[in-house]
Amino acid sequence: MATPLDYHTIHAIFTRFHAAEPEPKGELEHVNAYTLLVAVALSAQATDVGVNKATRALFAAVDTPEKMLALGEEGLIAHIRTIGLYRNKAKNVMKLSRILVEEYGGTVPSSRAALQSLPGVGRKTANVVLNMWWGLPAQAVDTHIFRVGNRTRIAPGRTVDAVERAIEDNVPAEFQRHAHHWLILHGRYTCKARKPMCGTCLIRDLCPYEDKTE
């Protein structure tokens, strides 16, 4: 396993990320905690752009679990059929909506354990909701963060959980809240999987990646 970068280099990297984008935002559109939860659950193996296209009209009409139950599974499918695995996702959204109504009074819980107990909600989804809605320093590791964490050695790890722990261990506390958004955006737009844009990279001189592109 690669050795993580030293503290001072990681601090310098996140100082640059912060200077470039002080308040990075997630790209999934939502109007409240419930629609954020649904959007993140729908985004598994799908793009944020695709989810936003499907949910824009949906969330304009359906923004509570009660309204989702009234819409029904087939009504939800009509909105999200352009999203991969839409039938299974629709079943999970209906199940989690019923649980929210029956066990949580229609509100989204702010506990990771409670969130992960909902159908179709894994640790990554729970962490996104905790971070984006409640502002907690939860690190939702997706393929972008996994790649950037290992490629830059900010947070090397063989598994998603290992990279999550490495971010928590290696990134200075002052940058923890927005760390996962900076890393996602960096991986999505600059440190791409096949052709990283090293020539215009903000942290090129601090990154140890050997196969840099021009």
Side-chain angles (χ1 to χ4, degrees), residues 133-163:
W133 192 256
W134 283 284
L136 300 177
Q139 308 303 334
V141 178
D142 68 353
T143 55
H144 296 300
I145 292 183
F146 187 82
R147 177 177 67 257
V148 173
N150 279 287
R151 188 180 274 174
T152 63
R153 300 215 319 262
I154 291 170
R158 291 190 176 91
T159 66
V160 167
D161 289 345
V163 170

Side-chain angles (χ1 to χ4, degrees), residues 79 97 120 125 209:
H79 282 278
S97 297
T125 297
Y209 182 56

Side-chain angles (χ1 to χ4, degrees), residues 56-164:
R56 211 161 279 143
L58 172 66
F59 292 160
V62 177
D63 58 0
T64 68
E66 292 86 353
K67 291 178 182 177
M68 187 66 76
L69 293 175
L71 177 66
E73 187 173 322
E74 290 304 316
L76 174 58
I77 285 174
H79 282 278
I80 67 168
R81 64 173 63 254
T82 56
I83 299 175
L85 307 174
Y86 66 89
R87 288 196 179 276
N88 189 54
K89 290 176 180 179
K91 290 182 186 299
N92 284 332
V93 168
M94 301 311 295
K95 288 177 183 176
L96 72 82
S97 297
R98 187 166 301 283
I99 291 171
L100 289 177
V101 170
E102 294 178 351
E103 299 183 21
Y104 296 97
T107 62
V108 176
S110 58
S111 141
R112 181 184 285 116
L115 287 167
Q116 285 190 247
S117 73
L118 298 172
V121 179
R123 186 178 180 88
K124 185 181 80 171
T125 297
N127 282 349
V128 172
V129 174
L130 292 173
N131 182 277
M132 287 182 64
W133 192 256
W134 283 284
L136 300 177
Q139 308 303 334
V141 178
D142 68 353
T143 55
H144 296 300
I145 292 183
F146 187 82
R147 177 177 67 257
V148 173
N150 279 287
R151 188 180 274 174
T152 63
R153 300 215 319 262
I154 291 170
R158 291 190 176 91
T159 66
V160 167
D161 289 345
V163 170
E164 180 183 335

